[in-house]
């Protein structure tokens, strides 16, 4: 009996691009990892940016950066609005963080990654470079279990009920920042545990996708809006839940957001508003962490670990790479 393995040309392109994105984040991660522990955040970030931009421009896409290193006058490469790709493929919008956790990389601390998301044009939120208040959980819960406007205690109680455990058995991840002092105090009162992280906003939300492995049930707190879009894209691929609200606390921020299409400064975005349609998310470890192993440099081989999320299929792939042709990384 024969099996028809034919697939449409569009699917061939999509699958091809999924693997090509792995190469993009691998190159960025390896370039950044050369600067691990050297205390130079700018050099590590620039190395990742240069590598990611170089690889993106080799892809068969007509791409535009919608989440990047900043606006054009602030970021010479991978700025918001920059066109990438060879223009020989589909129109896509791209969100990038070439080196999430620059401080982590510079200090050789756990959790630094190279990450990007790609979706059809118009599928990713144009998020200004401001803060966003966020809440997120992983898959397997009824819609509406969490709400950004509810208190931490109410959200934790609702999640514990949905999971069938007591609140003290819920684990929450919060960035260790002075702005979160009150939030941490409120969460402590519920009896649940808190894992504090110094950096790594995207990875922090993604931790919720695999609570059985990471030990994290709930993400709470204020972080970057661009990072929020990247995290929402990953959550969409596995069926989690996330809400976010931009923090536009000055007139300049409100005007900037309005210029990017934000008509309601108080709008509460759900996950699908931040990332819709067919989304591919790819992340490669730079330093060892709870999500991914970092780059390992051997005498004859460079090892990488990458995770790829695909929303249309709900597929999550972990890709371990052994690279023996060093010249492709342009490490000089």
């Amino acid at each position: 009996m024969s099996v028809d393995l034919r697939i449409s040309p569009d699917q061939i392109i999509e699958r091809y691009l999924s693997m090509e994105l792995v190469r993009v984040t691998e190159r960025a991660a390896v370039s950044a990892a050369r600067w691990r522990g050297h205390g130079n955040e700018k050099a590590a970030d620039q190395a990742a940016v240069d590598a990611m931009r170089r690889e993106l421009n080799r892809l068969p896409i007509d791409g535009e950066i919608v989440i990047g290193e900043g606006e054009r006058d602030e970021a010479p490469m991978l700025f918001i609005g920059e066109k990438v790709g060879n223009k020989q493929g589909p129109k896509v919008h791209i969100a990038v963080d070439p080196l999430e956790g620059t401080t982590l990389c510079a200090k050789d601390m756990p959790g630094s990654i190279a990450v990007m998301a790609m979706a059809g044009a118009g599928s990713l939120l144009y998020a200004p470079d401001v803060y966003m208040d966020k809440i997120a959980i992983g898959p397997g819960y009824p819609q509406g279990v969490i709400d950004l406007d509810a208190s931490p205690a109410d959200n934790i109680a609702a999640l514990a009920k949905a999971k069938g455990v007591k609140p003290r058995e819920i684990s929450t991840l919060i960035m260790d920042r002075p702005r979160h002092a009150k939030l941490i105090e409120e969460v402590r009162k519920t009896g649940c545990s808190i894992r504090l992280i110094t950096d790594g906003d995207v990875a922090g939300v993604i931790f919720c996708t695999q609570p059985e492995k990471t030990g994290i049930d709930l993400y709470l707190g204020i972080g970057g809006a661009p990072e929020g879009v990247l995290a929402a894209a990953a959550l969409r691929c596995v069926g989690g839940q996330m809400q976010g609200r931009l923090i536009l606390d000055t007139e300049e921020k409100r005007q900037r957001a309005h210029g990017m299409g934000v008509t309601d400064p108080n709008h509460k975005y759900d996950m699908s508003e931040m990332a819709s349609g067919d989304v591919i998310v790819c992340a490669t470890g730079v330093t060892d962490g709870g999500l991914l192993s970092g780059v390992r440099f051997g005498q004859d081989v460079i090892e990488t670990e990458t995770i790829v999320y695909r929303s249309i299929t709900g597929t999550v792939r972990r890709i371990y790479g052994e690279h023996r042709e060093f010249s492709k990384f342009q490490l000089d």
Side-chain angles (χ1 to χ4, degrees):
M1 181 179 68
S2 63
V3 179
D4 187 354
L5 296 178
R6 290 175 297 177
I7 56 178
S8 72
D10 286 345
Q11 288 176 310
I12 293 173
I13 291 173
E14 290 168 353
R15 294 181 184 185
Y16 171 73
L17 283 176
S18 294
M19 288 307 301
E20 285 301 304
L21 296 196
V22 174
R23 295 182 177 89
V24 173
T25 57
E26 282 177 345
R27 303 298 198 272
V30 170
S31 294
R34 300 273 290 183
W35 289 94
R36 281 187 312 218
H38 287 269
N40 193 331
E41 296 180 18
K42 290 184 178 179
D45 187 55
Q46 191 64 57
V49 169
D50 291 345
M52 184 170 279
R53 184 174 186 261
R54 183 171 60 246
E55 295 303 318
L56 282 172
N57 281 326
R58 292 173 176 168
L59 296 185
I61 58 172
D62 183 0
E64 180 180 348
I65 303 295
V66 296
I67 299 289
E69 291 291 281
E71 298 178 21
R72 185 168 189 167
D73 58 348
E74 301 170 350
M77 292 184 179
L78 294 180
F79 56 83
I80 297 170
E82 181 174 355
K83 305 296 183 179
V84 295
N86 63 14
K87 311 299 186 292
Q88 301 301 310
K91 288 185 177 294
V92 295
H93 280 174
I94 301 168
V96 301
D97 196 339
L99 181 59
E100 200 222 2
T102 53
T103 300
L104 300 177
C105 180
K107 295 182 177 181
D108 199 6
M109 295 172 63
S112 183
I113 62 174
V115 59
M116 66 171 295
M118 179 183 291
S123 297
L124 298 175
L125 176 69
Y126 276 80
D129 190 11
V130 297
Y131 282 128
M132 174 185 278
D133 195 8
K134 311 169 194 176
I135 185 171
I137 58 174
Y141 299 106
Q143 287 296 318
V145 169
I146 56 170
D147 192 319
L148 189 64
D149 292 326
S151 69
D154 286 344
N155 278 312
I156 291 167
L159 182 58
K161 182 178 180 181
K163 191 176 181 180
V165 299
K166 296 180 179 179
R168 66 174 291 103
E169 297 177 65
I170 295 295
S171 178
T172 302
L173 188 143
I174 302 173
M175 292 192 74
D176 190 5
R177 296 287 188 273
R179 63 177 177 265
H180 288 148
K182 182 178 179 181
L183 172 63
I184 292 170
E185 181 181 353
E186 292 179 10
V187 172
R188 293 277 190 218
K189 289 179 180 178
T190 70
C192 82
S193 66
I194 299 176
R195 183 183 302 177
L196 296 173
I197 59 171
T198 59
D199 295 277
D201 202 12
V202 177
V205 175
I206 294 176
F207 278 170
C208 296
T209 65
Q210 295 179 301
E212 69 283 353
K213 293 183 179 179
T214 64
I216 298 300
D217 297 297
L218 174 68
Y219 178 97
L220 290 172
I222 297 170
E227 289 84 353
V229 174
L230 275 163
L235 279 181
R236 266 213 60 232
C237 297
V238 297
Q241 298 178 48
M242 181 175 176
Q243 295 176 349
R245 178 178 286 117
L246 300 174
I247 298 178
L248 304 173
D249 49 4
T250 68
E251 184 60 28
E252 187 274 332
K253 291 178 183 177
R254 287 188 286 272
Q255 289 298 323
R256 184 148 48 96
H258 187 269
M260 298 178 73
V262 177
T263 56
D264 179 4
N266 296 311
H267 183 70
K268 180 171 60 179
Y269 294 92
D270 67 25
M271 184 173 61
S272 294
E273 289 178 295
M274 290 187 270
S276 60
D278 183 14
V279 182
I280 303 170
V281 180
C282 189
T284 301
V286 177
T287 59
D288 285 339
L291 182 66
L292 291 160
S293 297
V295 177
R296 287 176 170 78
F297 294 99
Q299 183 174 351
D300 301 311
V301 66
I302 297 174
E303 301 173 54
T304 58
E305 186 182 18
T306 301
I307 191 166
V308 185
Y309 301 88
R310 181 79 186 281
S311 67
I312 200 170
T313 59
T315 303
V316 179
R317 288 187 173 91
R318 284 186 176 270
I319 299 173
Y320 166 73
E322 291 185 353
H323 310 273
R324 292 176 173 79
E325 179 52 61
F326 291 2
S327 62
K328 66 184 179 183
F329 293 109
Q330 298 188 21
L331 297 176
D332 293 337

